[in-house]
Amino acid sequence: MINNPILKGFHPDPSVCRNGEDYYIATSTFEWFPGVRIFHSKDLKNWRLAATPLDSVDMLDMKGNPDSGGIWAPALSYSDGLFWLLFTDVKVIDAPWKNGRNFLVTSSSIEGPWSKPIPMGNGGFDPSLFHSDDGQKYYVYRPWGPRNHSDPYNKIVMQAFDAKTNRLDKKRITIFEGTDLKYTEAPNIYKKDGYYYLLTAEGGTSFEHSVTVARSQDLFGPYELSPHGALVTTWHTPSNEIQKAGHGALVETQNGEWFITYLASRPLRFPDKPLLAKHGRGMCPLGRETAIDRIEWQQGWPIAVGGPHAKLQIPEANLPACDWGISEHFTDNFDNSKLDNNWQTLRIPFTDKLGSLTEKSGVLRLYGNDSLVSLFEQSTIATRWRHHHFSAQTKMTFSPENFQQSAGICCYYNTSNWTYCLIDFDEELGKRCLRLIQIDQQIATFHHYDGNEIIVPDNIAHVWMKVDVEGLDYYYSYSFDGDNWIQFEKNFESWKLSDDYINGRGFFTGAFVGLHCEDISGDGCFADFESFTYQAK
Ligand code: 6LW
C-alpha cells in the first residue's frame, strides 16, 4: 500500500510529472529558502528530495517578502527533452492588492543547472504550461487584481507562449469561469482520447477545498463540468482523518495507470474545545501536505477510486519498487560543509553572513542577525514539523555579552507566531539566562525574566535544549549535562502554529522547528550548535 501523506509536513500545491520511468513532484515553499522542493520517485510510494532549483539570489530574492509570500504553486512539466518549471514569487499579499512575479526556468536534468528565470508576466498566479501536440505552448493561470478581490475572481485565462522568443501573446482567452465553489485557481490541462481535461482547485485552500474537472474537445473551450462532481474533496466527509483535499495534478504511469497528487492536511481535533476548531474540524500545524490517489476513467471522465475523499492508504502502483525513502528521523552532526537539505532558511540563502559549517569542524556556527519578527536577515535554520508527536533537541555553546544577543531553539510559523527557548545575557545579574518568549498573533509574552530567571552557571559550557510536541501541546526543556532534563513550566499550544489559527494575510505554510541566533546590538556574536535531532514519537 501507499501511505498518505506521501510528503509529510508543509508540502503544498504538489505538481506531479513523469519523464520515462521517473516521477517528480514540485511543491511550494513560500518564504522558505531555497525555493521549490522537487521530490523524485520511481514507484509513487517512496520519495526523496532531488532538487531545490531556486537556490541563489540570482534565481530568487525574497528579502522583505511578506509571510506566506514568496513561492506559490510551482508547476512542473516535461516536454521536448526539458523540464519546465513555472513559479510565482509573491511580493505583496495584503488585500486588495497582490503583486506577484511569474517566472519560467528550464533544465534538461532535474538536478539542474536550471536556466535563468524568464519573466512570464505579473498578472496572476498558479500558472501552468500546456504543451500542445502541434508544438505550441499555452500558459494558463488565474488572474488577480484589486477590483476582483472581494468578488472571488473565478476566471482561468490562457495565453499562447512562444518558447523560441520567450514571449507571451498579449491576447488572453478566458477558458473557464469556475463553479459555485469559487476561488477557481491552480489550472492544469491534460489531453486524452481527443478531449482536453481542465483540472482546477476550488473552494479556497482550507476545509472546503476541492478539485473540479471539466473537459472540452477544443482547447479554448467551452469546458463542460464533470457529472461526477469533485475529483477529490473532503468537505463532505468531516470525520475523515485527512482534510482540505484539493489542488491536484494528474500523472499517467508508463503502464497506463493514472494517479492524482493533491494537497491535504491532518488536523489536530479538539475533543473539548469545539469552538476553536474551524467547522469543528481542528487545526493543522503540519500545514498542507502532499497525498496521492488512484484515478480510473469512466465514460471519458476521471474518478478517484473509492470516492473523492482523501484516503490514508491506497493500493500501490504497478511499478518496480525503488529503494529510497524519506526518513522519519533526522540527525545532523553538522559535519558537512553544505547545509543538509532538511533545513531551510527564511527568505535568503544560508551565506557566510548567517553562519558557517566550516569555521569549526562538526559545528554549525550561527552569527547573530535579525530577530524572528524580521522580514529581512535572520540566522535561522529550520526543518518542518512532520508529526503530531516528536522531539527535537540540540546541543550548543553560546557566550552572549549583552541583553540584545540570544540564541537557542524555536518553533516558528511566521513572524507573528512563534516561540523561542533562548540563552541571553542578563546585565543586572551579569549572568547568562535561559528564557522563553512567545509571539502569539503579534503579542509577545516573556517567561523567566524579572526575578524568575534561570541562570546558566558560569562553569557550564554546553547547554542542551529540547522541544517535545505532543499533539495539541508542546513544551521546552533544558539540560546542562545532556542527561538530566528540566522541563519549563510553560506549555504552548501546537495548534497556534497552524494555517487555521493565523488571522488575515498569508496562512499557507506550516510549523517549523529551528535553530536561531540574534544580535540586535550589532556588536557581533555567534552560537555554536554541535548536533540536532528530530525524532518522531
Ligand atoms: C496557491 C493557490 C492558493 O498558489 O493558495 O488558496 C496559494 N489558493 O492555489 C498558496 O498555496
Side-chain angles (χ1 to χ4, degrees):
M1 302 297 272
I2 301 179
N3 294 319
N4 274 324
I6 47 174
L7 305 176
K8 286 184 180 156
F10 153 60
H11 289 106
D13 310 325
S15 171
V16 66
C17 96
R18 176 170 74 86
N19 172 21
E21 298 177 355
D22 294 285
Y23 297 85
Y24 300 95
I25 292 178
T27 59
S28 302
T29 41
F30 296 85
E31 66 265 44
W32 292 95
F33 199 97
V36 181
R37 283 157 79 83
I38 301 180
F39 293 84
H40 175 208
S41 176
K42 284 183 174 283
D43 57 11
L44 294 171
K45 172 180 174 163
N46 298 294
W47 296 85
R48 66 172 173 202
L49 183 61
T52 51
L54 312 176
D55 59 0
S56 68
V57 280
D58 295 339
M59 300 293 275
L60 175 68
D61 187 352
M62 296 194 291
K63 199 186 268 192
N65 274 26
D67 293 331
S68 282
I71 299 301
W72 281 27
L76 183 67
S77 54
Y78 185 83
S79 178
D80 316 317
L82 287 178
F83 289 98
W84 306 71
L85 179 68
L86 280 165
F87 61 92
T88 311
D89 174 11
V90 176
K91 296 295 182 194
V92 178
I93 55 176
D94 275 1
W97 273 273
K98 287 190 175 69
N99 286 272
R101 300 169 188 170
N102 296 302
F103 296 98
L104 168 69
V105 290
T106 59
S107 172
S108 55
S109 150
I110 208 82
E111 285 90 21
W114 293 82
S115 71
K116 279 204 188 119
I118 299 159
M120 298 290 278
N122 303 338
F125 62 104
D126 290 358
S128 70
L129 262 192
F130 175 67
H131 308 270
S132 169
D133 297 339
D134 62 8
Q136 178 62 55
K137 304 204 182 297
Y138 296 92
Y139 179 73
V140 206
Y141 61 100
R142 179 216 152 117
W144 57 17
R147 187 170 58 87
N148 306 305
H149 178 73
S150 51
D151 162 28
Y153 195 59
N154 298 324
K155 290 194 165 100
I156 296 298
V157 166
M158 179 181 271
Q159 289 174 261
F161 175 65
D162 183 341
K164 289 198 188 76
T165 59
N166 290 332
R167 288 248 168 80
L168 281 170
D169 192 316
K170 285 191 181 157
K171 187 171 165 208
R172 289 153 170 91
I173 304 162
T174 298
I175 59 163
F176 188 55
E177 308 250 6
T179 74
D180 291 346
L181 290 173
K182 299 186 181 158
Y183 303 103
T184 312
E185 52 201 19
N188 280 302
I189 296 177
Y190 305 90
K191 191 167 181 207
K192 184 177 185 295
D193 303 330
Y195 276 101
Y196 297 93
Y197 291 87
L198 171 66
L199 257 63
T200 54
E202 291 201 296
T205 192
S206 189
F207 293 99
E208 300 93 327
H209 209 195
S210 78
V211 173
T212 297
V213 190
R215 74 175 186 192
S216 174
Q217 279 169 316
D218 184 335
L219 178 61
F220 306 113
Y223 281 84
E224 60 167 319
L225 282 174
S226 168
H228 302 284
L231 187 53
V232 299
T233 186
T234 39
W235 181 229
H236 309 292
T237 44
S239 55
N240 206 50
E241 235 170 290
I242 310 184
Q243 290 290 316
K244 300 185 181 176
H247 199 125
L250 293 175
V251 67
E252 182 183 13
T253 71
Q254 62 269 34
N255 301 320
E257 294 178 292
W258 285 78
F259 290 84
I260 183 169
T261 61
Y262 60 93
L263 74 77
S265 287
R266 290 174 290 163
L268 285 169
R269 309 274 182 170
F270 297 93
D272 51 348
K273 294 181 193 139
L275 287 179
L276 275 178
K278 276 203 179 161
H279 307 295
R281 298 196 193 191
M283 297 201 193
C284 313
L286 307 184
R288 298 170 302 157
E289 312 182 84
T290 288
I292 190 164
D293 204 353
R294 272 183 173 271
I295 294 294
E296 63 187 359
W297 292 82
Q298 278 184 18
Q299 280 113 37
W301 290 104
I303 294 178
V305 176
H309 62 284
K311 292 127 206 161
L312 278 173
Q313 287 198 319
I314 63 160
E316 286 184 22
N318 176 25
L319 294 170
C322 64
D323 58 3
W324 58 71
I326 298 168
S327 168
E328 298 286 307
H329 312 294
F330 165 47
T331 299
D332 199 344
N333 292 318
F334 302 116
D335 10 67
N336 281 331
S337 58
K338 225 179 140 250
L339 205 57
D340 188 281
N341 64 21
N342 274 292
W343 296 111
Q344 291 204 266
T345 48
L346 281 162
R347 298 180 177 82
I348 53 171
F350 183 73
T351 59
D352 297 349
K353 172 96 203 276
L354 301 195
S356 167
L357 284 155
T358 51
E359 192 67 36
K360 200 169 165 196
S361 100
V363 161
L364 164 76
R365 177 161 292 181
L366 290 183
Y367 300 112
N369 281 293
D370 287 356
S371 70
L372 285 167
V373 300
S374 169
L375 300 174
F376 294 87
E377 249 177 3
Q378 280 113 342
S379 297
T380 312
I381 66 164
T383 187
R384 286 156 177 72
W385 287 23
R386 340 188 226 287
H387 305 87
H388 285 146
H389 298 266
F390 72 89
S391 179
Q393 84 173 59
T394 189
K395 176 186 177 189
M396 63 181 288
T397 60
F398 183 49
S399 306
E401 290 176 344
N402 66 52
F403 78 104
Q404 290 170 315
Q405 298 177 333
S406 69
I409 188 166
C410 61
C411 288
Y412 182 97
Y413 180 88
N414 65 9
T415 57
S416 307
N417 297 276
W418 46 260
T419 58
Y420 179 28
C421 174
L422 62 105
I423 297 174
D424 69 0
F425 185 73
D426 189 300
E427 298 188 350
E428 272 173 39
L429 300 175
K431 298 283 180 199
R432 290 177 298 164
C433 287
L434 277 155
R435 334 255 198 196
L436 293 178
I437 304 179
Q438 179 180 30
I439 295 273
D440 179 0
Q441 308 276 31
Q442 287 182 322
I443 295 165
T445 44
F446 298 87
H447 304 270
H448 299 288
Y449 289 79
D450 303 326
N452 192 17
E453 286 84 359
I454 301 170
I455 290 170
V456 182
D458 290 343
N459 63 340
I460 292 295
H462 288 100
V463 177
W464 284 256
M465 289 182 185
K466 181 164 79 136
V467 59
D468 286 280
V469 176
E470 300 288 0
L472 291 167
D473 299 311
Y474 68 103
Y475 54 86
Y476 290 96
S477 312
Y478 66 93
S479 168
F480 294 141
D481 60 10
D483 272 335
N484 298 297
W485 288 93
I486 300 168
Q487 188 183 324
F488 286 91
E489 263 168 43
K490 174 73 191 159
N491 266 23
F492 297 105
E493 301 92 338
S494 307
W495 46 273
K496 289 198 168 176
L497 303 177
S498 71
D499 301 0
D500 317 282
Y501 178 69
I502 305 308
N503 275 334
R505 297 203 185 122
F507 48 86
F508 295 135
T509 57
F512 279 69
V513 52
L515 305 175
H516 174 72
C517 179
E518 74 187 45
D519 181 9
I520 310 298
S521 72
D523 286 1
C525 72
F526 62 82
D528 281 347
F529 296 88
E530 293 179 24
S531 64
F532 175 89
T533 53
Y534 174 106
Q535 181 91 28
K537 289 186 187 174

